[in-house]
Short mmCIF file of all heavy atoms in Angstrom, two decimals:
data_model
loop_
_atom_site.label_atom_id
_atom_site.label_comp_id
_atom_site.label_asym_id
_atom_site.label_seq_id
_atom_site.Cartn_x
_atom_site.Cartn_y
_atom_site.Cartn_z
N PHE A 5 -6.98 -32.21 19.58
CA PHE A 5 -6.87 -32.18 18.12
C PHE A 5 -8.24 -32.01 17.46
O PHE A 5 -8.38 -31.33 16.47
CB PHE A 5 -6.17 -33.44 17.60
CG PHE A 5 -4.68 -33.32 17.68
CD1 PHE A 5 -3.94 -34.14 18.52
CD2 PHE A 5 -4.03 -32.33 16.95
CE1 PHE A 5 -2.57 -34.00 18.61
CE2 PHE A 5 -2.65 -32.19 17.04
CZ PHE A 5 -1.92 -33.03 17.88
N MET A 14 -14.50 -24.29 11.05
CA MET A 14 -15.31 -23.08 11.20
C MET A 14 -14.69 -21.93 10.42
O MET A 14 -15.38 -21.21 9.71
CB MET A 14 -15.40 -22.69 12.67
CG MET A 14 -16.73 -23.00 13.30
SD MET A 14 -16.64 -22.79 15.08
CE MET A 14 -16.18 -21.07 15.20
N ASN A 22 -17.47 -15.93 3.07
CA ASN A 22 -16.92 -14.61 2.84
C ASN A 22 -16.82 -14.31 1.35
O ASN A 22 -17.18 -13.24 0.89
CB ASN A 22 -15.55 -14.58 3.51
CG ASN A 22 -14.93 -13.23 3.48
OD1 ASN A 22 -15.59 -12.27 3.12
ND2 ASN A 22 -13.66 -13.14 3.86
N TYR A 45 -25.04 4.91 -7.29
CA TYR A 45 -23.96 5.31 -8.21
C TYR A 45 -24.11 4.64 -9.57
O TYR A 45 -24.02 5.28 -10.61
CB TYR A 45 -22.60 4.97 -7.61
CG TYR A 45 -22.17 5.92 -6.52
CD1 TYR A 45 -21.56 5.47 -5.36
CD2 TYR A 45 -22.38 7.30 -6.66
CE1 TYR A 45 -21.17 6.34 -4.37
CE2 TYR A 45 -22.00 8.17 -5.67
CZ TYR A 45 -21.40 7.69 -4.52
OH TYR A 45 -21.03 8.57 -3.55
N GLN A 55 -24.54 6.23 -21.07
CA GLN A 55 -25.59 6.37 -22.08
C GLN A 55 -25.58 7.79 -22.64
O GLN A 55 -25.69 7.99 -23.86
CB GLN A 55 -26.96 6.05 -21.46
CG GLN A 55 -27.13 4.55 -21.23
CD GLN A 55 -28.28 4.22 -20.30
OE1 GLN A 55 -28.85 5.11 -19.65
NE2 GLN A 55 -28.61 2.94 -20.20
N GLN A 58 -22.90 8.09 -25.11
CA GLN A 58 -23.27 7.49 -26.41
C GLN A 58 -24.10 8.48 -27.24
O GLN A 58 -23.85 8.65 -28.43
CB GLN A 58 -24.07 6.20 -26.19
CG GLN A 58 -23.24 5.05 -25.66
CD GLN A 58 -24.10 3.83 -25.33
OE1 GLN A 58 -25.00 3.90 -24.50
NE2 GLN A 58 -23.82 2.71 -25.97
N GLN A 59 -25.04 9.15 -26.56
CA GLN A 59 -25.89 10.11 -27.28
C GLN A 59 -25.07 11.29 -27.80
O GLN A 59 -25.21 11.71 -28.95
CB GLN A 59 -27.01 10.62 -26.36
CG GLN A 59 -28.05 9.57 -26.05
CD GLN A 59 -28.80 9.86 -24.75
OE1 GLN A 59 -28.67 10.95 -24.18
NE2 GLN A 59 -29.56 8.88 -24.29
N ALA A 63 -24.54 12.67 -31.61
CA ALA A 63 -24.80 14.05 -32.04
C ALA A 63 -23.54 14.68 -32.64
O ALA A 63 -23.60 15.42 -33.63
CB ALA A 63 -25.30 14.87 -30.86
N SER A 79 -20.30 26.12 -40.02
CA SER A 79 -20.46 24.71 -39.65
C SER A 79 -19.48 24.33 -38.53
O SER A 79 -19.77 23.47 -37.69
CB SER A 79 -20.29 23.80 -40.87
OG SER A 79 -18.99 23.92 -41.40
N HIS A 91 -17.35 16.59 -24.88
CA HIS A 91 -16.20 16.61 -23.98
C HIS A 91 -16.65 16.86 -22.54
O HIS A 91 -16.12 16.27 -21.60
CB HIS A 91 -15.17 17.66 -24.44
CG HIS A 91 -13.77 17.31 -24.05
ND1 HIS A 91 -12.66 17.79 -24.71
CD2 HIS A 91 -13.29 16.53 -23.06
CE1 HIS A 91 -11.57 17.31 -24.14
NE2 HIS A 91 -11.93 16.55 -23.13
N ALA A 98 -15.45 10.83 -16.14
CA ALA A 98 -13.99 10.66 -16.05
C ALA A 98 -13.57 9.90 -14.79
O ALA A 98 -12.58 9.17 -14.80
CB ALA A 98 -13.31 12.02 -16.09
N GLU A 106 -11.94 0.64 -17.16
CA GLU A 106 -10.52 0.33 -16.97
C GLU A 106 -10.10 -0.79 -17.92
O GLU A 106 -9.00 -0.75 -18.48
CB GLU A 106 -10.27 -0.06 -15.51
CG GLU A 106 -8.82 0.05 -15.11
CD GLU A 106 -8.59 -0.42 -13.69
OE1 GLU A 106 -9.46 -1.10 -13.12
OE2 GLU A 106 -7.52 -0.08 -13.15
N TYR A 122 4.94 11.55 -15.04
CA TYR A 122 5.82 12.16 -16.03
C TYR A 122 6.26 13.54 -15.58
O TYR A 122 5.49 14.29 -15.00
CB TYR A 122 5.11 12.25 -17.39
CG TYR A 122 5.43 11.05 -18.23
CD1 TYR A 122 4.77 9.86 -18.02
CD2 TYR A 122 6.43 11.11 -19.19
CE1 TYR A 122 5.08 8.73 -18.76
CE2 TYR A 122 6.75 9.99 -19.94
CZ TYR A 122 6.07 8.81 -19.73
OH TYR A 122 6.39 7.71 -20.46
N GLU A 129 8.00 17.57 -25.53
CA GLU A 129 7.73 16.23 -25.04
C GLU A 129 6.25 15.99 -24.98
O GLU A 129 5.46 16.89 -24.71
CB GLU A 129 8.32 16.07 -23.63
CG GLU A 129 9.71 15.50 -23.64
CD GLU A 129 10.21 15.28 -22.23
OE1 GLU A 129 9.49 14.66 -21.45
OE2 GLU A 129 11.30 15.77 -21.93
N TYR A 160 -2.12 10.16 -28.05
CA TYR A 160 -2.19 11.60 -28.34
C TYR A 160 -2.64 11.88 -29.78
O TYR A 160 -2.70 13.03 -30.20
CB TYR A 160 -0.84 12.27 -28.10
CG TYR A 160 -0.52 12.49 -26.64
CD1 TYR A 160 0.67 12.03 -26.09
CD2 TYR A 160 -1.39 13.20 -25.82
CE1 TYR A 160 0.98 12.24 -24.76
CE2 TYR A 160 -1.09 13.42 -24.48
CZ TYR A 160 0.11 12.93 -23.95
OH TYR A 160 0.39 13.16 -22.65
N ARG A 184 -8.45 13.40 -44.59
CA ARG A 184 -8.68 13.98 -43.26
C ARG A 184 -10.05 13.55 -42.73
O ARG A 184 -10.18 13.18 -41.56
CB ARG A 184 -8.62 15.50 -43.41
CG ARG A 184 -8.19 16.26 -42.18
CD ARG A 184 -8.01 17.73 -42.55
NE ARG A 184 -8.07 18.59 -41.38
CZ ARG A 184 -7.02 18.99 -40.69
NH1 ARG A 184 -5.81 18.62 -41.07
NH2 ARG A 184 -7.16 19.76 -39.64
N ASP A 205 -20.97 -3.30 -21.19
CA ASP A 205 -20.33 -4.11 -20.14
C ASP A 205 -20.90 -3.79 -18.76
O ASP A 205 -20.92 -4.64 -17.88
CB ASP A 205 -18.82 -3.86 -20.12
CG ASP A 205 -18.11 -4.57 -21.26
OD1 ASP A 205 -18.80 -5.32 -21.99
OD2 ASP A 205 -16.89 -4.38 -21.42
N GLN A 218 -16.73 -4.13 0.08
CA GLN A 218 -15.45 -4.03 0.77
C GLN A 218 -14.78 -2.68 0.49
O GLN A 218 -15.25 -1.93 -0.36
CB GLN A 218 -14.52 -5.17 0.31
CG GLN A 218 -15.10 -6.54 0.55
CD GLN A 218 -14.05 -7.63 0.46
OE1 GLN A 218 -12.92 -7.43 0.86
NE2 GLN A 218 -14.43 -8.77 -0.07
N ILE A 256 5.63 28.60 -18.51
CA ILE A 256 4.25 28.25 -18.83
C ILE A 256 4.18 27.42 -20.10
O ILE A 256 4.90 27.69 -21.08
CB ILE A 256 3.41 29.55 -18.97
CG1 ILE A 256 3.23 30.18 -17.58
CG2 ILE A 256 2.05 29.26 -19.61
CD1 ILE A 256 2.60 31.54 -17.59
N TYR A 296 -22.00 8.53 4.01
CA TYR A 296 -21.25 7.48 4.71
C TYR A 296 -20.35 8.12 5.77
O TYR A 296 -20.28 7.65 6.91
CB TYR A 296 -20.44 6.68 3.69
CG TYR A 296 -19.65 5.53 4.26
CD1 TYR A 296 -20.18 4.71 5.24
CD2 TYR A 296 -18.36 5.26 3.80
CE1 TYR A 296 -19.46 3.64 5.75
CE2 TYR A 296 -17.62 4.19 4.30
CZ TYR A 296 -18.18 3.38 5.28
OH TYR A 296 -17.45 2.33 5.79
N LEU A 300 -20.30 7.77 9.85
CA LEU A 300 -19.09 7.42 10.59
C LEU A 300 -18.71 8.53 11.57
O LEU A 300 -17.57 8.60 12.02
CB LEU A 300 -17.93 7.17 9.63
CG LEU A 300 -18.06 5.98 8.68
CD1 LEU A 300 -16.92 5.98 7.67
CD2 LEU A 300 -18.07 4.67 9.46
N ASN A 306 -17.02 16.16 6.59
CA ASN A 306 -17.89 16.19 5.43
C ASN A 306 -18.23 17.63 5.04
O ASN A 306 -18.18 18.00 3.87
CB ASN A 306 -19.16 15.39 5.74
CG ASN A 306 -20.13 15.43 4.57
OD1 ASN A 306 -19.73 15.22 3.44
ND2 ASN A 306 -21.38 15.72 4.86
N VAL A 315 -15.61 25.99 -3.08
CA VAL A 315 -14.53 26.98 -3.22
C VAL A 315 -13.74 26.71 -4.50
O VAL A 315 -13.41 27.64 -5.25
CB VAL A 315 -13.59 26.94 -1.98
CG1 VAL A 315 -12.35 27.79 -2.21
CG2 VAL A 315 -14.33 27.41 -0.74
N ALA A 318 -15.75 27.72 -7.56
CA ALA A 318 -15.77 29.18 -7.70
C ALA A 318 -14.42 29.70 -8.20
O ALA A 318 -14.35 30.58 -9.07
CB ALA A 318 -16.13 29.82 -6.37
N LYS A 343 -4.11 26.48 -5.65
CA LYS A 343 -3.98 26.32 -4.19
C LYS A 343 -5.23 25.69 -3.58
O LYS A 343 -5.15 24.85 -2.70
CB LYS A 343 -3.73 27.69 -3.54
CG LYS A 343 -2.30 28.14 -3.71
CD LYS A 343 -2.09 29.49 -3.05
CE LYS A 343 -0.68 29.99 -3.35
NZ LYS A 343 -0.65 31.43 -3.60
N ILE A 364 -4.61 1.98 -0.69
CA ILE A 364 -4.19 2.48 -1.99
C ILE A 364 -3.21 1.57 -2.71
O ILE A 364 -2.96 1.76 -3.88
CB ILE A 364 -3.61 3.91 -1.92
CG1 ILE A 364 -2.36 3.95 -1.08
CG2 ILE A 364 -4.63 4.89 -1.42
CD1 ILE A 364 -1.50 5.15 -1.40
#
Side-chain angles (χ1 to χ4, degrees):
Chain A
F5 278 115
M14 255 170 59
N22 186 10
Y45 284 139
Q55 286 164 350
Q58 289 174 301
Q59 290 157 10
S79 62
H91 208 157
E106 199 183 17
Y122 267 79
E129 267 183 51
Y160 283 126
R184 207 172 159 94
D205 284 356
Q218 301 196 36
I256 289 172
Y296 182 41
L300 296 172
N306 178 47
V315 171
K343 282 180 186 142
I364 63 158

